[in-house]
Amino acid sequence: MNSGFQSWLGQQLDQLKTDNLYKIPKILESPAGGRVKMNGKEVINLASNNYLGLANHPKVKQAALDAIEKWGVGAGAVRWIGGTMSVHQELEERLAAFKHTEAVLVFTGGFTANSGCIPAVLTNQDVVISDELNHASIIDGVRLSPAAYKKSEGWVYAHKDMNQLEECLKKANEKGFAKKLIITDGVFSMDGDIAPLPDIVQLAEQYDAIVMVDDAHASGVLGKNGAGSTSHFDLYGRVDIQLGTLSKALGVMGGYIAGSANLKDWLVNRGRPYLFSTGHPPMVAAALIAALDIMENDPEPMQRLWANTKWWKDALAAEGFDTMGSETPITPVYVGDEGDAQRMERMLWDEGVYALSILYPTVARGKARIRTMPSAAHSQADLEEALEAFKRVRAKL
Ligand SMILES: *Cc1c(COP(=O)(O)O)cnc(C)c1O
């Protein structure tokens, strides 16, 4: 082993600890749910993206077990080499119908869907225009492309600022870029607010730009049966590239790109994580089909998700907590100071509530918060108990 490298690693880790940025994941010892066993302790879980409670749903589990019996546990190869099973194909057909798009291509994660799709559709003649709060996987996908995209060159607009977006589009037209791609989260992952997609689409149409929306946190949450922001805003046929995740509300794992048949065809030929990384185990695809069945036919989990969300936000507001304009289940509780947010996370844990502090650099300095995620997996009693814990912890702080 290289001793210089090992000491470099040690120094980097020490620096993270000094900066209070060092993380150790807690160990979940039960299924992901509203109430979990974690690090040996029973806690109310307010940190999961398992919005609809599907990660441990009996029908979804049974579909996975049946698929193991039928198909075994692995796809055996990269999909184009021999790893596309009919169950993978069926999932994509079901998702395309669900999204009202011509076609869907599934990747093994939302992260890989972004890092596979974005560079594949761009050349060095193009420009990407991004919201400043876009997810890390969008940023990495953009960095893998040869297009212009840098904030320092003026291609990142202030959060949801449509005037700045229009300025970017004007400037891009003056500079004569071949393609202009506007990318936004559909629901912003740390603030829980919704992108103004109708305005973005209208500007894109006016300035001849392409729209890509990352619906990781809108999938299963917004729109008809959880079909996402395009459905929520009735923008069918007007968004070129829609990304959805299968890892959050759908409760399993994966990401997909929904769009035209040509878009899918192009990504099958040029999407590098699709081309060079093995496809999902067949049980993943089968479990996802079962999860989709539930989303399409049983409105109850989504109704419970929104009823819990409304109760939780109203209760926090009534107690004077600031939820930062969040409009979706993602509910930040504003703290401000980084040290206070970390203390609050530890005190909540002691009170039996697991919720994470979100700090710089994930959010701006001085805008630290506790991020809470009510879900369909929570009972009313879980949320009432969590609220009492928040009140006790605030009194102590
Ligand atoms: C979580 C998330 C992803 C990544 O999805 P995975 O399926 O977990 O890889 C991508 N984009 C956004 C906005 C996300 O919140």
Side-chain angles (χ1 to χ4, degrees):
M1 287 217 267
N2 181 291
S3 63
F5 172 57
Q6 295 306 323
S7 71
W8 178 85
L9 286 171
Q11 284 159 10
Q12 298 302 310
L13 287 165
D14 286 345
Q15 188 62 47
L16 286 182
K17 288 174 192 165
T18 310
D19 296 343
N20 285 322
L21 295 172
Y22 179 75
K23 294 186 190 72
I24 308 173
K26 289 195 164 63
I27 306 300
L28 195 52
E29 292 150 336
S30 67
R35 223 173 250 269
V36 295
K37 194 171 170 209
M38 205 176 227
N39 283 15
K41 183 177 159 111
E42 186 173 311
V43 291
I44 297 166
N45 179 14
L46 289 178
S48 180
N49 300 321
N50 178 25
Y51 287 112
L52 300 173
L54 296 177
N56 189 38
H57 192 288
K59 285 187 184 159
V60 178
K61 290 200 290 190
Q62 191 58 50
L65 289 167
D66 293 346
I68 291 174
E69 288 297 342
K70 179 167 181 196
W71 297 96
V73 292
V78 166
R79 285 186 56 188
W80 67 277
I81 290 180
T84 296
M85 292 166 159
S86 53
V87 69
H88 294 122
Q89 170 131 340
E90 183 187 343
L91 174 62
E92 289 177 337
E93 285 167 2
R94 288 285 307 273
L95 285 168
F98 179 60
K99 295 292 286 184
H100 295 273
T101 56
E102 283 179 4
V104 157
L105 183 67
V106 169
F107 290 81
T108 48
F111 199 109
T112 43
N114 266 326
S115 59
C117 174
I118 298 168
V121 299
L122 294 166
T123 74
N124 62 6
Q125 307 298 304
D126 302 332
V127 62
V128 186
I129 303 173
S130 308
D131 187 290
E132 67 178 345
L133 294 190
N134 278 350
H135 190 257
S137 60
I138 296 178
I139 296 170
D140 282 18
V142 170
R143 283 180 180 157
L144 285 170
S145 87
Y149 62 82
K150 290 201 173 121
K151 187 170 184 173
S152 60
E153 293 166 14
W155 302 120
V156 176
Y157 57 93
H159 183 46
K160 296 195 299 189
D161 186 327
M162 294 296 101
N163 292 326
Q164 277 193 21
L165 170 58
E166 184 162 15
E167 289 310 311
C168 291
L169 287 163
K170 278 186 187 151
K171 191 172 73 177
N173 276 356
E174 281 160 20
K175 291 192 182 271
F177 285 103
K179 298 202 291 303
K180 301 171 285 290
L181 175 63
I182 306 169
I183 307 187
T184 183
D185 278 23
V187 169
F188 288 88
S189 51
M190 294 302 150
D191 291 57
D193 53 344
I194 300 174
L197 201 58
D199 299 334
I200 292 172
V201 165
Q202 202 219 313
L203 284 170
E205 287 168 353
Q206 190 181 338
Y207 288 90
D208 190 27
I210 304 158
V211 177
M212 174 167 178
V213 61
D214 177 343
D215 261 349
H217 283 284
S219 306
V221 174
L222 290 186
K224 182 163 184 285
N225 299 335
S229 29
T230 302
S231 163
H232 176 73
F233 287 116
D234 196 10
L235 293 168
Y236 290 111
R238 295 171 68 188
V239 176
D240 300 274
I241 307 174
Q242 299 179 57
L243 180 145
T245 51
L246 306 167
S247 332
K248 289 175 174 147
L250 275 102
V252 193
M253 155 126 252
Y256 62 88
I257 299 291
S260 66
N262 278 346
L263 175 65
K264 173 175 179 168
D265 246 10
W266 181 245
L267 295 177
V268 163
N269 286 280
R270 283 291 181 274
R272 292 171 69 84
Y274 172 88
L275 291 170
F276 300 110
S277 181
T278 301
H280 278 146
M283 62 192 166
V284 168
L288 285 164
I289 291 169
L292 199 54
D293 280 337
I294 294 168
M295 276 172 57
E296 287 187 313
N297 298 306
D298 181 3
E300 203 269 339
M302 206 170 138
Q303 283 163 2
R304 199 146 27 96
L305 167 69
W306 279 99
N308 282 345
T309 295
K310 182 173 186 326
W311 188 90
W312 178 243
K313 283 189 195 308
D314 288 351
L316 284 170
E319 293 297 337
F321 289 99
D322 174 3
T323 57
M324 306 181 74
S326 147
E327 305 164 81
T328 64
I330 299 170
T331 307
V333 177
Y334 180 77
V335 181
D337 179 73
E338 283 76 16
D340 283 347
Q342 284 173 309
R343 269 188 293 283
M344 193 157 171
E345 176 187 321
R346 282 196 294 274
M347 288 161 77
L348 284 166
W349 173 260
D350 292 338
E351 297 274 350
V353 172
Y354 178 59
L356 279 185
S357 56
I358 308 285
L359 314 169
Y360 177 83
T362 307
V363 294
R365 238 183 251 281
K367 289 208 172 165
R369 64 203 64 180
I370 302 286
R371 180 170 176 259
T372 66
M373 313 281 286
S375 76
H378 292 105
S379 67
Q380 178 72 22
D382 294 337
L383 296 179
E384 281 172 12
E385 207 178 308
L387 183 70
E388 291 308 312
F390 268 86
K391 284 159 64 180
R392 283 195 298 273
V393 163
R394 180 175 56 185
K396 283 189 212 161
L397 268 173

